[in-house]
Amino acid sequence: MPRVLTVALTSCAVVQLLSATWLVGDYTTPNVSREIAEQLVATGEYANGDARAYQLPGEPLFIAAGLHLPAPLRPYLHVPVVMLFVGSVTATALAVWGTRVAALAGGLATLDPFVVAHGPVWDDAMLAASLEWLVIALLVHALPVAGPRQATRSRPGHAFVAGLAAAGAAITRLHSQWLLTGLAVITLSRRRFTAARRTAAAIAIGLLLAVGVWGWRNTNAVGAFITGSTHDGKTFFESTYSTARGAILENGVAQHFEAGKIPPPALAPAGGEVEMNRYFMNEAWRHIAAHPFDVMVTAVFKTMVSLAGVDFGRPLTSPRNLVGVGANLALLLTSVAGIAAWRRHSGSATDRGRLVATAAMTTALTTFALLAAGPVGLRYRISLAGFLYLAAALALHVRFRPPTEALSARM
């Protein structure tokens, strides 16, 4: 293992262990994954109360396995997940831009206040992002280092791992299904990425199998082939309805409403979870068609809130907002400055560099689409954050590179 990767993984492990021990007060989960996991362990039934397809199963299954650990070890369940994320970002930077950029990217990912404070939390967004970045790193390493295109040097085992990671991500978050499908299709269709086609094919197979098995299970459990979950419609409705902006300003999330602001039929539609999901989805599209400008304003507002990292559920002068917003804006500004360095670096012109740029654009499009249509929060842009670390690392590399290297770059 390269030394820079070992250092990045070790540093991440130390930071996350300290965070889980001393910083994170509640390591459980921001959604119902824990409740589903507990019911699965207790009864063997995958359900949230009476709902049997309310949540994609990736994180609940992971938590259910973790619940068999001794109680003192459970706060550290997600430490390997964060290490996988940081290690994959570092390995991708190393493959394209070299040791110094990799060290900077790994350091930024490890010390990002959001990753430090939220990493140990049982969160499906972090689990999915870690698996997505493992897929990206394996795709990049499947391509030749530089020079003429040649036969792939990747082992069949690497493609198999990429397929497993893609399958795991696909049953963890809808974001992963969209992102990895787009990335696999682009990789398979571009001649420049021929050497990575075996890995891309494994990713596509993993996606199809995982989504197919989940959909088949739902056909038997709830009578409908659902590849997402039965709370997608409600989340979409709550995130686009006219109360979303006010709820975010008041509570920090779009899902909290004041009494009476939602029409009564929308609160308790008749039928089971499939009918409820369909009802909310239809209501959301009706509202979008009837109020397109209002929905557009809400989408822009939610995206800006998520990118800035502000939590209106807490005072703007709270330590969380001061540290979170300050660090996040610094990362965004540095990464924007790093785009020019990204384009000028010789590694970016290789097939590996072009594949990373393709993955960055695919991730950005997917992230912005779901931020516009879905809930708000820093955790919903964690997949894109990996590319922000890369761009910021390139900016810092150019700014602080040794004088001899800077001189040779100008000659």
Side-chain angles (χ1 to χ4, degrees):
M1 181 183 294
R3 182 179 178 183
V4 65
L5 186 56
T6 301
V7 171
L9 290 172
T10 303
S11 302
C12 178
V14 171
V15 169
Q16 288 298 304
L17 289 171
L18 292 173
S19 176
T21 302
W22 302 105
L23 183 62
V24 175
D26 182 10
Y27 61 85
T28 53
T29 177
N31 53 40
V32 300
S33 295
R34 179 176 58 85
E35 288 86 347
I36 295 174
E38 290 173 343
Q39 183 164 340
L40 180 62
V41 171
T43 67
E45 180 183 24
Y46 185 91
N48 176 40
D50 295 330
R52 299 173 61 83
Y54 189 80
Q55 182 86 6
L56 281 165
E59 180 71 14
L61 292 175
F62 185 74
I63 294 175
L67 290 177
H68 291 91
L69 294 171
L73 295 180
R74 292 175 191 171
Y76 308 101
L77 179 62
H78 255 240
V79 170
V81 173
V82 185
M83 290 176 63
L84 177 61
F85 174 70
V86 172
S88 298
V89 171
T90 304
T92 301
L94 179 64
V96 180
W97 296 289
T99 301
R100 197 157 183 266
V101 175
L104 290 167
L108 289 169
T110 297
L111 299 176
D112 182 349
F114 173 78
V115 175
V116 172
H118 192 78
V121 176
W122 295 355
D123 182 15
D124 58 337
M126 179 60 78
L127 177 60
S130 299
L131 294 171
E132 290 168 4
W133 268 93
L134 176 59
V135 170
I136 292 170
L138 290 170
L139 267 177
V140 169
H141 280 82
L143 293 173
V145 176
R149 300 183 187 94
Q150 58 196 54
T152 178
R153 297 172 55 195
S154 66
R155 302 170 184 173
H158 292 177
F160 179 72
V161 171
L164 284 180
I171 59 169
T172 302
R173 281 198 73 205
L174 189 63
H175 177 280
S176 302
Q177 295 180 15
W178 291 18
L179 166 61
L180 296 180
T181 296
L183 190 56
V185 169
I186 293 172
T187 305
L188 288 169
S189 61
R190 293 193 63 182
R191 185 177 300 177
R192 181 180 297 279
F193 303 143
T194 298
R197 283 181 178 173
R198 180 170 62 187
T199 303
I203 293 167
I205 293 171
L207 290 171
L208 289 173
L209 287 176
V211 171
V213 169
W214 173 241
W216 172 79
R217 178 266 179 193
N218 291 334
T219 301
N220 294 322
V222 299
F225 188 87
I226 297 173
T227 59
S229 63
T230 54
H231 85 275
D232 290 341
K234 186 171 184 288
T235 300
F236 185 36
F237 173 80
E238 292 171 334
S239 301
T240 54
Y241 198 65
S242 56
T243 56
R245 296 195 300 275
I248 293 168
L249 289 171
E250 182 178 349
N251 303 295
V253 293
Q255 288 81 2
H256 289 179
F257 298 91
E258 291 182 1
K261 284 191 175 181
I262 297 296
L267 290 176
E273 61 180 299
V274 175
E275 290 75 15
M276 183 178 292
N277 182 61
R278 187 179 298 116
Y279 174 87
F280 278 121
M281 192 68 71
N282 291 337
E283 286 297 305
W285 284 116
R286 287 194 190 98
H287 181 73
I288 291 171
H291 307 280
F293 181 76
D294 183 74
V295 172
M296 186 183 305
V297 172
T298 299
V300 172
F301 174 69
K302 290 189 303 173
T303 302
M304 292 176 63
V305 168
S306 295
L307 292 178
V310 61
D311 181 0
F312 288 105
R314 307 187 189 192
L316 294 180
T317 55
S318 66
R320 187 269 173 213
N321 275 324
L322 291 176
V323 174
V325 175
N328 197 51
L329 291 180
L331 175 62
L332 288 172
L333 292 174
T334 308
S335 62
V336 169
I339 293 176
W342 185 314
R343 296 178 62 183
R344 289 197 298 265
H345 197 286
S346 59
S348 303
T350 64
D351 289 347
R352 286 183 169 187
R354 291 187 175 96
L355 181 54
V356 174
T358 299
M361 289 185 288
T362 306
T363 304
L365 289 173
T366 304
T367 300
F368 288 140
L370 291 180
L371 286 178
V376 297
L378 270 176
R379 70 191 192 95
Y380 296 111
R381 69 98 172 99
I382 186 62
S383 299
L384 182 61
F387 295 102
L388 300 181
Y389 304 140
L390 295 182
L394 283 163
L396 294 174
H397 168 67
V398 170
R399 176 66 179 82
F400 298 108
R401 60 187 170 183
T404 55
E405 185 180 334
L407 179 61
S408 62
R410 291 194 296 266
M411 293 178 63

